[in-house]
């Protein structure tokens, strides 16, 4: 969790290969109460004191969180301070959309290897989108 917060604070949300990304392993914790919280939490720091969710998460982890939330930054007990959970979910969603676009683009360049002959003698293949490719045979 600390590594993710540190990387996000630096703006590094994905590895160069794209296989590792912010929230890949931890986004499932968002909103799922895993740690007991008491109502009478007092501290001198609030979520509004931080410039980003990543900064709040780094502070939260450095001061005992998620087991001990001295400043009340994780009121729902999911182990994620302030808006950090939204950041994780957004990162996962962005990565999934990116992968879907990449997969779709890869498919659009594949063509059928089967060659068809039309009624006038011309030959063609069928592209994944269903169009006829007359230069494919």
């Amino acid at each position: 969790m600390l590594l993710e917060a540190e990387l996000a604070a630096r703006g590094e949300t994905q590895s160069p290969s794209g296989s590792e990304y912010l929230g890949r392993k931890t986004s499932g914790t968002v909103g799922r109460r895993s740690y007991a919280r008491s109502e009478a939490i007092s501290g001198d720091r609030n979520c509004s004191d931080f410039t980003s969710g990543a900064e709040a998460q780094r502070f939260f982890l450095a001061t005992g969180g998620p087991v001990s939330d001295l400043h009340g930054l994780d009121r729902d007990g999911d182990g994620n301070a302030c808006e950090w959970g939204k950041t994780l979910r957004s990162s996962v969603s962005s990565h999934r959309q990116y992968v879907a676009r990449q997969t779709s683009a890869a498919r659009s360049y594949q063509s059928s290897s089967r060659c068809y002959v039309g009624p006038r003698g011309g030959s063609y293949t069928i592209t994944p989108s269903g169009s006829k490719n007359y230069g494919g045979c």
Side-chain angles (χ1 to χ4, degrees):
M1 292 175 92
L2 188 56
L3 286 174
E4 283 187 332
E6 183 64 35
L7 290 171
R10 296 177 186 182
E12 299 172 23
T13 60
Q14 189 169 321
S15 68
S17 69
S19 61
E20 293 295 324
Y21 54 92
L22 188 67
R24 185 174 81 81
K25 295 181 180 179
T26 58
S27 66
T29 65
V30 178
R32 195 172 66 201
R33 186 178 195 91
S34 300
Y35 304 94
R37 296 290 182 246
S38 64
E39 294 298 320
I41 297 175
S42 63
D44 60 347
R45 299 296 297 263
N46 298 314
C47 290
S48 59
D49 296 334
F50 301 99
T51 58
S52 69
E55 185 183 339
Q57 182 72 3
R58 284 190 334 201
F59 176 81
F60 171 68
L61 293 172
T63 58
V67 176
S68 176
D69 184 14
L70 302 175
H71 297 272
L73 299 175
D74 177 26
R75 300 228 184 247
D76 63 358
D78 66 356
N80 300 296
C82 303
E83 298 296 312
W84 181 241
K86 288 182 180 179
T87 301
L88 292 176
R89 283 191 173 159
S90 175
S91 175
V92 170
S93 177
S94 296
H95 180 77
R96 288 183 181 152
Q97 290 172 4
Y98 173 78
V99 169
R101 282 193 305 271
Q102 295 296 84
T103 304
S104 176
R107 283 190 200 133
S108 68
Y109 293 111
Q110 297 172 351
S111 63
S112 171
S113 60
R114 184 169 177 197
C115 205
Y116 297 92
V117 177
R120 296 187 184 144
S123 60
Y124 60 92
T125 59
I126 304 293
T127 65
S129 63
S131 301
K132 294 178 181 177
N133 178 9
Y134 289 99
C137 292

